[in-house]
Amino acid sequence: MKKELTRQQYVDLYYYMRLNRAVEDTMVKLFRQNKIVGGLYSSLGQEAISVGSAYALEKKDWLAPMIRNIGALLVKGVPPRDIFMQHMAKYDSPTKGKDGTSHFGDLDNLHIVSPISMLGDLIPVMTGVAMAGRYLGQKIVAMTWIGDGGSSTGVFHEGLNFAATQKAPFVLILENNLWAYSTPVRKQVPLENLADRAKAYGIDSYIVDGNDVVAMYSAAKEAVERARAGEGPILIEAKTFRRLGHAEACDPITLYEKYLTSEKLLDAKSKKEIEDKIEALLAKEREFAENSPMPPAELAEESVYCTGDDCHKIRAKWERPVAEVTPPKSSVAAVWTVPGFGSGKGSGGANAPIHFGDAPAATEKSVSERKPPAKIATKTGAKKPLKAAAASASRKARR
């Protein structure tokens, strides 16, 4: 680990990883008490990936987490109570109790796009967000995550190829935890490094130890800066694994604690202060969540579909002159010149998108002076009109 951060940044990374795990530990207790109505998806052992990569983003940047990226939500500013209430389907949750898992976002303030259950679909969505930000002059970067199994979906390839061709300011974190549900990576992909998939799209990639939060942050920070500078999308493969228990040597939190202690960035007193702070915070957040009521039945029909301003009052936030992207400055003639083919008028005299053929561009005069249809030769050498030749061939076939 290279010492390139400020002391506060080092401590922040530790705090968010500890908070990430504590939030999930609390939800496990709620789940076992039958207070969580939906599924619970743990990121145990992968906290360094979510925290390190999200910490590399600026406040104006956008992210779209998957179900195991709670750490990224916490870094972005989502309070633990929202995560608790969302999984408990409470009325005060971000979705007012209409979802029992992690499908919620914040488009107005935190710039979070809700997770999509279909793996890989967030890639083209966040590519679109990145392109929209560039169009509006916001200079943002969009980030999302995908697993090793999700990297084999069709939309992963389509989305990443689209991002590459558009040079979108987009960073994709590929969490390779060695298993796609019950399928080992070695039986899924004939590659040692999934980062090699970036080569197919002509984009750069990094391979990072996903259990090293500083390495994760450093790679993500560099990728974000490059994407923001106009270098296009970048893929980061984070090698890790999910686990149970707290005794394994590759626990990212344990590893980081040892590093901070050895560098004299964390001592027993400051560690205890962080633990007490998290414990007090989660006790308060859990109490609020448990006291939140369940949603009233009459709300079941509301907010199912977005109906406009009464649902989301979202407006484009321009940070460049609108005149730059509206006529007449943005007007471009709908004519494309293709090497070897040229461009010109269609048969009706209007602009043609593409003029096929090596002939000069057609004009209204040249169109009106076109010669009659060509005639074909018969066996005897005489020429007949095309229609007559076809009729003759048909009579011969019937004989």
Side-chain angles (χ1 to χ4, degrees):
M1 297 180 180
K2 295 181 179 180
K3 192 172 181 177
E4 298 175 346
L5 288 71
T6 65
R7 184 184 185 282
Q8 186 59 52
Q9 288 175 318
Y10 279 116
V11 174
D12 282 350
L13 291 173
Y14 178 69
Y15 170 79
Y16 282 119
M17 281 204 295
R18 289 294 302 266
L19 181 60
N20 185 170
R21 182 162 298 178
V23 165
E24 291 193 12
D25 286 346
T26 301
M27 288 201 294
V28 169
K29 296 174 183 176
L30 292 170
F31 184 81
R32 290 173 178 171
Q33 294 171 357
N34 204 32
K35 294 178 180 178
I36 284 182
V37 300
L40 183 59
Y41 305 94
S42 171
S43 66
L44 189 64
Q46 295 185 205
E47 296 92 345
I49 299 175
S50 295
V51 170
S53 53
Y55 196 74
L57 296 172
E58 295 182 9
K59 185 177 180 179
K60 65 181 179 180
D61 294 329
W62 287 70
L63 62 77
M66 292 207 299
I67 55 177
R68 303 187 197 277
N69 297 121
I70 285 178
L73 294 176
L74 295 170
V75 170
K76 252 299 191 174
V78 175
R81 65 176 61 182
D82 282 359
I83 298 171
F84 295 154
M85 291 188 295
Q86 185 68 22
H87 285 78
M88 297 166 76
K90 292 298 190 79
Y91 176 66
D92 294 315
S93 71
T95 60
K96 301 297 182 184
K98 290 185 180 294
D99 179 76
T101 55
S102 57
H103 299 97
F104 72 97
D106 184 341
L107 304 181
D108 267 326
N109 301 311
L110 299 181
H111 300 165
I112 299 172
V113 175
S114 174
I116 298 175
S117 295
M118 289 69 71
L119 298 180
D121 282 64
L122 282 170
I123 297 172
V125 169
M126 296 311 287
T127 296
V129 170
M131 292 170 62
R134 180 172 60 194
Y135 182 78
L136 295 171
Q138 296 176 351
K139 295 189 180 298
I140 63 163
V141 173
M143 177 184 288
T144 191
W145 293 259
I146 191 66
D148 48 271
S151 71
S152 292
T153 60
V155 73
F156 169 92
H157 298 281
E158 294 170 4
L160 202 51
N161 183 71
F162 181 59
T165 56
Q166 296 297 321
K167 295 201 72 174
F170 170 65
V171 176
L172 177 62
I173 313 296
L174 200 167
E175 300 181 81
N176 183 0
N177 59 24
L178 307 179
W179 289 86
Y181 197 73
S182 60
T183 303
V185 172
R186 67 180 182 276
K187 289 185 177 295
Q188 177 203 163
V189 182
L191 293 172
E192 180 179 352
N193 299 312
L194 297 181
D196 289 345
R197 286 185 153 169
K199 296 177 183 178
Y201 316 108
I203 65 175
D204 286 342
S205 63
Y206 297 84
I207 299 175
V208 183
D209 179 0
N211 296 322
D212 183 338
V213 68
V214 175
M216 193 69 232
Y217 164 77
S218 299
K221 186 67 174 176
E222 183 174 319
V224 166
E225 291 175 351
R226 291 180 60 188
R228 198 186 312 278
E231 293 189 36
I234 293 177
L235 171 67
I236 299 176
E237 178 187 1
K239 293 183 181 292
T240 183
F241 56 89
R242 280 205 310 278
R243 61 182 189 79
L244 293 174
H246 298 268
E248 287 87 345
C250 288
D251 182 343
I253 296 180
T254 301
L255 288 172
Y256 195 45
E257 280 182 2
K258 291 180 179 178
Y259 171 73
L260 293 178
T261 302
S262 67
E263 295 292 322
K264 302 192 183 311
L265 296 166
L266 182 74
D267 55 24
K269 180 183 177 181
S270 55
K271 178 183 175 183
K272 183 68 165 54
E273 289 174 351
I274 290 173
E275 291 173 346
D276 291 345
K277 178 181 178 181
I278 291 175
E279 183 178 354
L281 171 64
L282 294 191
K284 180 180 178 181
E285 297 291 272
R286 176 175 175 172
E287 181 182 7
F288 184 94
E290 293 197 67
N291 289 332
S292 176
M294 299 301 288
E298 57 266 26
L299 292 182
E301 294 182 352
E302 294 184 9
S303 301
V304 178
Y305 299 99
C306 183
T307 53
D309 283 352
D310 58 335
C311 176
H312 289 95
K313 293 185 179 180
I314 304 295
R315 295 291 182 270
K317 297 177 181 177
W318 290 93
E319 295 188 18
R320 66 188 294 186
V322 180
E324 289 183 1
V325 289
T326 53
K329 285 191 175 182
S330 68
S331 297
V332 178
V335 178
W336 289 263
T337 301
V338 179
F341 290 95
S343 62
K345 299 285 185 178
S347 58
N351 282 335
I354 297 177
H355 174 72
F356 291 98
D358 293 325
T363 63
E364 292 184 9
K365 181 178 180 181
S366 62
V367 169
S368 64
E369 294 177 350
R370 285 178 179 169
K371 296 180 180 179
K375 298 180 179 180
I376 61 173
T378 63
K379 287 184 179 179
T380 59
K383 294 183 179 180
K384 295 183 179 180
L386 182 60
K387 186 174 180 181
S392 175
S394 176
R395 286 196 298 273
K396 290 181 180 180
R398 291 197 297 268
R399 292 177 182 170

